[in-house]
């Protein structure tokens, strides 16, 4: 696999994934298609996550999965591990479930509506928490990470992407954009707390995990980092 882990998908791969999100009818709503296409073409998130998960076949729990784009990226990459995506947004879960079934992924993929402020399903394997931590308060973040660490099986990975709480220009842009996304209705939830590098590092290292931090913002103006622990 020669794809870069720090650049967005090349156009033909972005189109191959986004095509699944086209409406069944030619006059149907194309919002999900254009949203996924532009995200996949501009954001290096998924190539970075695929690189982190490659080499383990442990089931993946995707916390705050949205439409389940990670599932589609995994399958494009030839990663066939079982996938469980959960999100608070029932409409995204409904659309994500339908699209995964249309792609023939239903045997090894399932989705459920879950509010991470209240809890999360039991799991053993890898855990992905992508652009979600900021929607939980600091206490819920710590509790979620403690349980995610306990879910890891040998060889499995905890893969987090998050904006980090700091005073950089990128940090400020991330905070303002997340608030605008809520105000304009793109995101139902309000960001509550951005984790700090020090806080994540100390919790993950205290659990005996090897932790790797690297910037993963590509050409975006955001303060996004990929944190891989295992
Ligand atoms: C920026 S999107 C990221 C979606 C997906 N992880 C991705 O990277 O494409 C944030 C997601 O977190 C979900 N979310 C926010 N608060 C949540 C909560 N309390 N419980 C579960 N999901 C939540 C939102 O509904 C949204 O789908």
């Amino acid at each position: 696999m020669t794809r870069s882990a720090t650049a967005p998908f090349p156009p033909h791969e972005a189109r191959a994934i986004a095509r699944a999100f086209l409406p069944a009818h030619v006059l149907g709503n194309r919002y999900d298609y254009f949203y996924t296409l532009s995200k996949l073409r501009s954001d290096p998130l998924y190539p970075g996550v695929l690189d982190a998960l490659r080499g383990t076949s442990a089931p993946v729990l995707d916390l705050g999965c949205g439409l389940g784009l990670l599932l589609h990226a995994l399958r494009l990459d030839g990663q066939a591990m079982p996938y469980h995506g959960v999100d608070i947004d029932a409409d995204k879960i409904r659309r994500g479930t339908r699209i995964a079934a249309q792609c023939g992924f239903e045997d090894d993929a399932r989705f459920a509506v879950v509010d991470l402020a209240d809890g999360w399903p039991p799991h053993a394997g890898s855990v992905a928490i992508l652009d979600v931590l900021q929607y939980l308060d600091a206490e819920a973040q710590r509790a979620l990470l403690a349980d995610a660490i306990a879910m890891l099986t040998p060889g499995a990975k905890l893969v987090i992407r998050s904006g980090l709480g700091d005073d950089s220009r990128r940090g400020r842009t991330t905070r303002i954009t997340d608030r605008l996304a809520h105000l304009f209705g793109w995101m139902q939830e309000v960001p509550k707390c951005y984790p700090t590098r020090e806080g994540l590092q100390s919790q993950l290292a205290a659990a005996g995990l090897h932790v790797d931090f690297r910037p993963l913002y590509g050409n975006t103006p955001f303060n996004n980092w990929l944190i891989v622990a295992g």
Side-chain angles (χ1 to χ4, degrees):
M1 183 67 60
T2 53
R3 187 191 312 118
S4 164
T6 55
F9 278 113
H12 68 285
E13 291 189 328
R15 276 196 304 275
I17 295 176
R19 210 170 287 134
F21 294 81
L22 278 167
H25 193 278
V26 72
L27 295 178
N29 185 336
R30 296 186 167 221
Y31 177 86
D32 287 345
Y33 170 73
F34 286 117
Y35 169 79
T36 52
L37 185 62
S38 82
K39 178 159 179 98
L40 293 163
R41 291 186 69 161
S42 61
D43 188 339
L45 169 62
Y46 295 107
V49 176
L50 294 178
D51 192 54
L53 290 174
R54 211 171 286 129
T56 165
S57 56
V60 173
L61 176 62
D62 186 6
L63 296 168
C65 63
L67 293 170
L69 255 180
L70 175 59
L71 167 66
H72 295 263
L74 285 167
R75 298 305 186 249
L76 177 95
D77 198 51
Q79 300 195 46
M81 67 276 269
Y83 170 94
H84 187 186
V86 303
D87 199 285
I88 192 174
D89 188 328
D91 198 47
K92 283 184 187 163
I93 289 295
R94 185 184 53 73
R95 275 143 55 212
T97 305
R98 177 178 48 77
I99 292 162
Q102 282 166 1
C103 293
F105 297 154
E106 68 270 35
D107 287 348
D108 288 316
R110 61 202 168 103
F111 292 85
V113 178
V114 170
D115 181 351
L116 296 173
D118 293 339
W120 33 86
H123 176 72
S126 294
V127 182
I129 310 174
L130 310 178
D131 297 349
V132 175
L133 276 181
Q134 73 271 26
Y135 297 107
L136 303 175
D137 63 31
E139 194 183 328
Q141 287 180 16
R142 283 192 69 78
L144 177 65
L145 289 180
D147 273 13
I149 291 165
M151 292 172 185
L152 297 176
T153 50
K157 295 280 166 36
L158 171 57
V159 186
I160 300 168
R161 197 192 48 183
S162 184
L164 295 180
D166 61 36
D167 277 337
S168 64
R169 182 191 295 184
R170 284 183 174 278
R172 285 192 295 278
T173 304
T174 304
R175 288 194 292 277
I176 291 166
T177 308
D178 280 346
R179 289 215 152 261
L180 289 176
H182 173 70
L183 284 175
F184 288 121
W186 300 322
M187 196 59 59
Q188 286 182 6
E189 306 306 306
V190 191
K192 294 190 174 72
C193 172
Y194 290 84
T196 63
R197 178 172 181 152
E198 298 70 28
L200 290 173
Q201 170 78 45
S202 71
Q203 185 174 6
L204 297 171
L209 299 178
H210 171 80
V211 191
D212 181 56
F213 280 79
R214 60 186 64 173
L216 193 64
Y217 31 70
N219 294 327
T220 73
F222 306 122
N223 191 31
N224 286 329
W225 288 70
L226 184 71
I227 301 122
V228 181

